[in-house]
Amino acid sequence: MKKWIVITGDIIESRKNTPESWLERLKEVLSDFGKEKTDWEIYRGDSFQLILSKKESMEAVLLLKSAMKSIGVDVRMAIGLGEIDYKSPKVSESNGSAFVNSGRKLESLKKETLGIQTPNEKFNQRYNVILNLLDFIMDSWQPTTAEVVFTALKYPKLNQSELAKLLQKKSQGTISSALKRAGFDEIKKVVELYNQEIKGI
């Protein structure tokens, strides 16, 4: 049976931020990965779930993280890999081990804001350490840096000069500095490695 990824997440300290400040941005990013209700759903006001393929999962996490941090909000997320036994027209009514793994991992997160749970424990141990390091790096991002990272991830074919034009009032040098400060090249290497290794899980 095909394995799927379910990302379960919630907005950190959502009560300190009005929904208007982050809800539309969250919907915007989720919409890039499918249709509302069937592929993703926001529930309990500040929580969400997203169903997607293995190869999109790390990209989705980084896009969601950078998008939220670009507006001064943080998000907690857990990646769950497993089967989907029943896919309902509503994500919240679907079930399977992908949902169980994602939900349980989110509940287990304490100080961390990223985690992963798959059927392979060695993979879990390795990538939870890597995700903790990514979390540490992203925690230092200021909103302007996060916005540059988000745009570079969303439009991977654009060069730095083109990104500067898209973001307006930012020079190519500013974009270069922001990406270097964010550890963007190193993060891309993690994504490439993850995409290779998740195939075999």
Side-chain angles (χ1 to χ4, degrees):
M1 192 179 227
K2 181 179 179 179
K3 288 187 171 65
W4 293 87
I5 292 286
V6 171
I7 295 174
T8 305
D10 58 30
I11 303 300
I12 296 172
E13 297 183 339
S14 60
R15 293 180 183 178
K16 292 185 178 180
N17 301 281
T18 61
E20 291 80 11
S21 67
W22 53 263
L23 188 56
E24 286 308 311
R25 194 73 194 269
L26 178 61
K27 287 182 175 181
E28 173 196 327
V29 181
L30 291 172
S31 295
D32 285 340
F33 293 95
K35 295 181 180 179
E36 187 173 6
K37 293 187 179 178
T38 55
D39 299 307
W40 60 269
E41 193 170 359
I42 296 171
Y43 60 99
R44 291 193 316 210
D46 64 355
S47 300
F48 62 89
Q49 281 194 313
L50 169 65
I51 301 172
L52 69 174
S53 66
K54 293 179 185 179
K55 65 181 180 181
E56 298 174 299
S57 50
M58 187 62 74
E59 178 191 9
V61 163
L62 293 172
L63 279 165
L64 286 160
K65 193 78 167 176
S66 57
M68 291 297 99
K69 291 191 79 68
S70 74
I71 54 173
V73 175
D74 204 356
V75 59
R76 180 186 298 108
M77 288 176 286
I79 303 168
L81 175 68
E83 296 173 354
I84 295 179
D85 300 325
Y86 173 66
K87 195 171 189 299
S88 166
K90 292 182 70 176
V91 172
S92 57
E93 294 175 359
S94 300
N95 60 56
S97 59
F99 289 92
V100 173
N101 287 338
S102 183
R104 285 181 178 170
K105 187 61 189 179
L106 187 71
E107 289 174 3
S108 75
L109 296 179
K110 295 176 182 177
K111 293 182 180 180
E112 310 92 350
T113 68
L114 295 174
I116 189 167
Q117 183 67 40
T118 77
N120 187 314
E121 197 53 43
K122 286 186 177 179
F123 183 91
N124 297 340
Q125 290 174 357
R126 184 180 183 194
Y127 274 91
N128 277 307
V129 170
I130 290 171
L131 287 171
N132 286 345
L133 285 169
L134 285 179
D135 201 7
F136 178 78
I137 291 167
M138 292 186 285
D139 198 45
S140 68
W141 290 354
Q142 295 300 312
T144 50
T145 300
E147 182 65 23
V148 172
V149 172
F150 172 77
T151 309
L153 287 169
K154 188 168 183 179
Y155 303 101
K157 293 183 180 179
L158 297 186
N159 61 36
Q160 291 181 1
S161 296
E162 290 168 331
L163 288 172
K165 288 179 182 177
L166 186 62
L167 288 166
Q168 300 178 353
K169 298 181 180 178
K170 294 185 184 293
S171 67
Q172 183 270 331
T174 303
I175 299 298
S176 178
S177 295
L179 293 176
K180 187 173 182 180
R181 192 165 54 246
F184 189 69
D185 286 344
E186 291 75 17
I187 288 170
K188 283 200 301 181
K189 289 176 184 176
V190 170
V191 175
E192 289 170 8
L193 182 65
Y194 171 89
N195 286 341
Q196 288 173 9
E197 296 190 345
I198 195 76
K199 289 177 184 177
I201 305 301

